[in-house]
Amino acid sequence: MTIEGANHWDGVYATKSETEVSWFQPIAGPSLELVDRLAIPTSASFIDVGGGSSRLVDAMLARGFRDLTVLDLSAVALAAAEKRLGRAGDGVEWIVADATEWEPKRTWDVWHDRAAFHFLVTDDGRQAYVRRLHRALAVGGHAIIATFALDGPEKCSGLPVRRYDALGLSTVLGDAFALVTTVDRIHVTPAGNNQKFQFSVFRRTA
Ligand SMILES: C[S@@+](CC[C@H](N)C(=O)[O-])C[C@H]1O[C@@H](n2cnc3c(N)ncnc32)[C@H](O)[C@@H]1O
């Protein structure tokens, strides 16, 4: 998946402006709402997996978080985010990697994923992702995973996705992750279309 996946995403980010991609949000509202609701301290370490060029990292920096990492398949997406942030992003770690193949070298307190996990449509891909999640998330840490909801779109960026509710996600993640909360949110794309998402939070218990 890596080469063709990276080519697909680099192509998208190279040919569309930040605000032209369907997943663009000027403010990563639902994610920030959950960070607030969980009362995550600014000392916590945070990784945005499949973060692309999302402005979530800008908002986390503005809130005072300092240990921030963004991982994505697309070097083009990460370079755009890094350029946008300029000096403000000096402390951010940018990792170009496939979340299903990457070997994490440390752990984080919070793992965030909005609309990357749902592209994993094979059991092997999902299990590889969950193994990385298990290794990279500290015990007691939180995973915030947003996907298209069961009645959300069947494709994103021209690729098929798997849709979830909290129970479906919980089944894939397994016993080491306890569901903390789940919320449904509608994302309005720049073209004006509504997309139904679910955002679920899990705590790593073992
Ligand atoms: C729909 S975009 C969402 C981007 C960002 N999370 C946001 O909310 O704006 C999906 C992102 O996931 C990345 N991605 C897809 N599959 C991936 C994988 N296996 N490993 C890492 N990143 C991946 C893509 O490059 C893209 O940036």
Side-chain angles (χ1 to χ4, degrees):
M1 147 82 170
T2 305
I3 299 297
E4 63 186 12
N7 285 345
H8 170 83
W9 290 106
D10 276 345
V12 171
Y13 283 109
T15 53
K16 293 192 177 195
S17 73
E18 183 195 12
T19 56
E20 278 174 335
V21 294
S22 58
W23 52 93
F24 173 72
Q25 2 169 54
I27 297 171
S31 303
L32 293 166
E33 178 192 322
L34 288 168
V35 167
D36 288 344
R37 202 195 290 186
L38 294 166
I40 307 284
T42 54
S43 57
S45 51
F46 185 101
I47 181 166
D48 191 10
V49 174
S53 297
S54 168
R55 295 189 183 193
L56 177 59
V57 63
D58 310 39
M60 294 297 283
L61 281 165
R63 283 166 184 239
F65 287 84
R66 288 292 167 260
D67 188 346
L68 296 168
T69 304
V70 184
L71 178 147
D72 202 278
L73 264 183
S74 170
V76 176
L78 295 185
E82 196 172 0
K83 185 170 175 209
R84 181 186 68 235
L85 280 165
R87 294 297 309 274
D90 275 354
V92 176
E93 188 180 354
W94 308 95
I95 301 177
V96 179
D98 184 322
T100 65
E101 296 176 356
W102 161 63
E103 302 295 341
K105 304 268 188 304
R106 56 166 289 192
T107 58
W108 285 265
D109 300 314
V110 182
W111 169 294
H112 174 272
D113 175 334
R114 172 178 179 267
F117 178 74
H118 68 190
F119 290 107
L120 302 175
V121 293
T122 66
D123 276 341
D124 284 353
R126 282 188 291 273
Q127 289 314 316
Y129 178 104
V130 173
R131 281 196 297 278
R132 269 81 191 168
L133 169 62
H134 194 260
R135 273 164 51 191
L137 185 64
V139 175
H142 291 96
I144 301 170
I145 303 187
T147 66
F148 284 160
L150 290 180
D151 54 354
E154 293 177 3
K155 286 192 166 192
C156 179
S157 190
L159 301 174
V161 300
R162 176 150 169 164
R163 299 170 294 174
Y164 293 91
D165 60 7
L167 183 61
L169 259 185
S170 200
T171 304
V172 177
L173 297 189
D175 292 344
F177 298 93
L179 180 65
V180 175
T181 190
T182 187
V183 294
D184 295 325
R185 290 289 178 268
I186 292 178
H187 168 64
V188 182
T189 71
N193 298 316
N194 286 355
Q195 296 183 329
K196 290 187 180 173
F197 272 80
Q198 67 75 40
F199 286 70
S200 295
V201 181
F202 297 86
R203 190 163 46 81
R204 184 180 160 201
T205 56

